[in-house]
């Protein structure tokens, strides 16, 4: 357990802090890494330019990776690098050089699915190895086998319940990590070839086209009436996972790490999800329960990022038909990120926020600032200036602008606005 908190003395009064798991957030880019950590993630996972399953993500150059690890470690956060694609022999030609760099940068662990890669890393480096969910570890015997091969943590398949995960941890004697939020796969992770068949893109080597989200035509015979039918359906698409109310089960089962899916999602997603689950876990660490009006606030915040309808999937009991997302593919978006604060100027002569614009916003528009802790701060855009200190009425994506100072604002805070439906 990486986050076991013990008794402490505060002003002569003994306080009992409660153990909580690690919160592991996605980092699709260096900037998203910083956002996730500043908003409360204890660890992040990311991919390099090769060997991962998100080839469409921005991913990290070696220079960015080194900077990201330094940024994380300075804030007591950990960095895990994914090497979870299915390898061919030619992939080993450059693996050793890459692993040597990861070891040099002091990366905390790599996430691997291929047994040959695990063997190679454990024999040629001291880098800690976590088993990827792509390996579909679902039981105690499997976990024990991976432990013998040198794995220190297993990222369990999404088909495992929290209770089953707790058993695996106890009987196999190694750390367990589970998904708590994000997109779900209709297949056992790492065993889907629909994308290969429909578009010639290998999902197991970073090319998944998400073919399960498409509309298909179903033809058959109704088993009850015996009549033939033909209809269009999205029968393979899944709702998104959301486990905020299952947190007590994760904690009682002493699950070591709670993982958020979404390396290809936005800065707003990385920041919001990290903030919500971090605040919930911090509340538990202090109080020992979740009996708080904040629970509704946290749930409400989770609806403000891009998502499909939510489900608990198999966290408590096996997923049923109501976990199917039987709609045309779209994600519900209530709020959109409009910018990130690059600099906070708060002096007697000048008070403003320097903002990098992500999505255009207008003068007199209502925006919200998302602090690293606490509720969002609403404010009206009373003035906007460009970097030449000229007044403007509408911003442009990619530009830098100055907006009025907002109390409590900090560098890397995100700004958002409600999306007109």
């Amino acid at each position: 357990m990486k986050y076991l908190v013990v008794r402490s003395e505060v002003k002569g009064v003994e306080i009992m802090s409660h153990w909580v798991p690690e919160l592991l957030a996605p980092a699709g880019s260096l900037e998203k890494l910083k956002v996730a950590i500043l908003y409360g993630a204890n660890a992040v996972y990311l991919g390099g330019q090769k060997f991962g399953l998100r080839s469409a993500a921005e991913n990290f150059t070696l220079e960015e990776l080194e900077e990201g690890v330094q940024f994380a470690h300075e804030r007591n956060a950990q960095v895990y690098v994914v090497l979870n694609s299915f390898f061919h022999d030619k992939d080993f030609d450059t693996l050793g050089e890459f692993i040597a760099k990861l070891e040099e940068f002091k990366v905390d662990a790599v996430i691997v699915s291929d047994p040959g890669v695990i063997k190679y890393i454990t024999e040629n480096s001291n880098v800690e190895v976590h088993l990827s969910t792509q390996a579909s570890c679902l039981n105690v015997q499997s976990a024990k086998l991976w432990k013998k091969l040198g794995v220190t943590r297993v990222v369990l398949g999404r088909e495992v319940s929290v209770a089953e995960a707790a058993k695996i941890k106890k009987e196999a004697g190694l750390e367990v990590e589970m998904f708590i939020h994000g997109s779900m796969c209709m297949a056992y992770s790492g065993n889907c070839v629909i994308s290969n068949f429909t578009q010639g893109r290998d999902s197991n080597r970073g090319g998944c086209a998400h073919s399960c989200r498409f509309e298909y035509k179903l033809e058959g015979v109704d088993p009850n009436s015996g009549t033939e039918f033909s209809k269009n359906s999205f029968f393979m698409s899944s709702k998104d996972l959301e486990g905020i109310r299952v947190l007590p089960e994760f904690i009682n089962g002493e699950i070591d790490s709670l993982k958020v899916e979404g390396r290809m999602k936005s800065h707003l997603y990385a920041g919001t999800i990290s903030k919500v689950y971090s605040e919930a876990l911090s509340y538990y660490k202090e109080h020992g329960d979740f009996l708080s009006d904040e629970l509704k606030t946290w749930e409400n915040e989770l609806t403000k990022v891009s998502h499909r309808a939510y489900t608990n999937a198999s966290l408590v009991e096996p997923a049923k038909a109501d976990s199917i997302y039987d709609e045309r593919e779209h994600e519900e978006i209530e709020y959109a990120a409009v910018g990130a604060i690059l600099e906070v100027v708060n002096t007697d002569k000048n008070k403003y926020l320097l903002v990098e614009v992500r999505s255009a916003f207008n003068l007199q528009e209502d925006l919200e600032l998302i602090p690293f802790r606490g509720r969002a701060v609403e404010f009206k855009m009373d003035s906007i200036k460009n970097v030449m200190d000229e007044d403007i009425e509408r911003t442009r994506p990619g530009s830098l602008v100055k907006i009025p100072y907002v109390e409590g604002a900090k560098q890397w805070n995100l700004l958002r606005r409600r999306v007109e439906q």
Side-chain angles (χ1 to χ4, degrees):
M1 301 178 193
K2 297 182 183 294
Y3 292 90
L4 183 63
V5 185
V6 296
R7 290 180 183 270
S8 60
E9 294 285 336
V10 179
K11 294 182 179 180
V13 179
E14 189 178 64
I15 296 175
M16 182 64 181
S17 294
H18 301 272
W19 177 87
V20 296
E22 167 189 270
L23 176 62
L24 176 57
S29 67
L30 178 59
E31 189 173 338
K32 292 175 187 176
L33 175 149
K34 294 177 179 179
V35 167
I37 291 173
L38 290 172
Y39 276 101
N42 306 118
V44 293
Y45 63 101
L46 55 89
Q49 298 293 308
K50 296 190 295 182
F51 310 127
L53 288 183
R54 291 293 182 268
S55 59
E58 296 174 64
N59 291 321
F60 282 64
T61 64
L62 289 177
E63 293 76 16
E64 290 172 331
L65 181 55
E66 184 175 20
E67 180 181 344
V69 173
Q70 181 178 352
F71 181 92
H73 287 176
E74 287 173 351
R75 291 158 181 81
N76 298 315
Q78 313 230 6
V79 176
Y80 310 140
V81 176
V82 295
L83 304 173
N84 53 354
S85 69
F86 289 3
F87 275 56
H88 290 252
D89 280 327
K90 63 181 180 180
D91 295 317
F92 285 88
D93 294 342
T94 56
L95 178 61
E97 181 182 354
F98 186 59
I99 293 298
K101 281 295 183 182
L102 299 186
E103 195 163 18
E104 176 188 334
F105 297 159
K106 296 182 171 30
V107 164
D108 297 285
V110 290
I111 305 173
V112 187
S113 58
D114 190 307
V117 178
I118 293 174
K119 186 173 187 294
Y120 182 94
I121 293 173
T122 55
E123 290 180 350
N124 293 279
S125 77
N126 293 312
V127 178
E128 188 171 328
V129 178
H130 295 174
L131 182 72
S132 170
T133 189
Q134 302 302 119
S136 291
C137 179
L138 307 173
N139 59 73
V140 172
Q141 296 305 318
S142 174
K144 286 181 176 179
L145 173 62
W146 291 113
K147 183 180 180 181
K148 288 182 179 179
L149 292 178
V151 167
T152 60
R153 175 189 290 186
V154 289
V155 186
L156 297 174
R158 291 171 173 87
E159 300 75 24
V160 173
S161 70
V162 180
E164 291 171 324
K167 178 182 178 182
I168 291 171
K169 172 181 172 134
K170 180 178 179 180
E171 297 188 17
L174 77 177
E175 293 184 1
V176 295
E177 177 179 310
M178 296 186 71
F179 281 91
I180 191 172
H181 195 97
S183 297
M184 297 287 290
C185 182
M186 55 76 63
Y188 283 97
S189 296
N191 293 279
C192 178
V193 293
I194 302 175
S195 181
N196 302 54
F197 180 77
T198 59
Q199 299 193 42
R201 291 168 51 178
D202 192 343
S203 59
N204 296 308
R205 289 178 61 80
C208 181
H210 303 286
S211 301
C212 59
R213 305 292 184 185
F214 300 166
E215 183 179 31
Y216 292 92
K217 185 175 183 179
L218 293 178
E219 296 180 345
V221 177
D222 188 306
N224 296 317
S225 65
T227 59
E228 295 184 354
F229 68 86
S230 176
K231 66 175 183 178
N232 290 349
S233 175
F234 299 88
F235 69 101
M236 289 189 292
S237 184
S238 172
K239 293 178 181 177
D240 282 357
L241 177 64
E242 190 259 86
I244 190 76
R245 287 186 178 267
V246 189
L247 280 175
E249 282 80 1
F250 284 111
I251 292 169
N252 292 336
E254 296 190 351
I255 306 305
D256 295 278
S257 183
L258 306 183
K259 188 171 195 170
V260 176
E261 181 277 337
R263 279 195 290 135
M264 294 177 63
K265 294 186 178 179
S266 69
H267 299 76
L268 181 62
Y269 177 92
T272 302
I273 303 301
S274 297
K275 180 176 186 293
V276 168
Y277 284 100
S278 173
E279 287 185 350
L281 290 170
S282 295
Y283 184 94
Y284 182 91
K285 185 164 65 175
E286 181 178 353
H287 299 282
D289 59 47
F290 292 101
L291 299 178
S292 167
D293 291 338
E294 289 299 307
L295 181 57
K296 291 183 178 179
T297 300
W298 297 327
E299 287 183 316
N300 186 44
E301 285 295 298
L302 294 177
T303 67
K304 294 181 180 180
V305 295
S306 176
H307 69 286
R308 303 174 187 89
Y310 282 137
T311 176
N312 283 340
S314 297
L315 292 179
V316 178
E317 57 184 19
K320 298 182 175 61
D322 59 5
S323 68
I324 296 173
Y325 187 63
D326 194 11
E327 299 179 34
R328 185 170 299 280
E329 177 62 10
H330 72 283
E331 292 188 332
E332 301 172 15
I333 303 176
E334 184 178 350
Y335 282 77
V338 298
I341 298 174
L342 299 186
E343 185 179 358
V344 177
V345 178
N346 183 19
T347 67
D348 293 337
K349 294 183 178 180
N350 287 299
K351 285 191 176 185
Y352 65 85
L353 305 177
L354 181 65
V355 174
E356 179 186 17
V357 180
R358 303 281 171 74
S359 177
F361 56 90
N362 302 313
L363 191 67
Q364 298 302 317
E365 192 167 0
D366 292 323
L367 300 184
E368 291 185 4
L369 179 144
I370 309 175
F372 295 135
R373 286 290 180 272
R375 299 194 179 192
V377 179
E378 298 181 5
F379 66 99
K380 185 175 288 291
M381 191 56 55
D382 292 328
S383 72
I384 309 174
K385 295 180 181 293
N386 60 24
V387 291
M388 303 299 291
D389 278 331
E390 299 168 334
D391 290 321
I392 59 176
E393 294 189 357
R394 181 174 173 80
T395 64
R396 291 182 294 105
S399 65
L400 298 179
V401 298
K402 297 178 180 180
I403 67 172
Y405 173 78
V406 178
E407 189 67 36
K410 294 182 179 180
Q411 185 184 30
W412 293 112
N413 278 164
L414 300 175
L415 303 176
R416 69 186 180 193
R417 65 176 175 84
R418 184 182 292 274
V419 176
E420 295 182 5
Q421 301 299 321

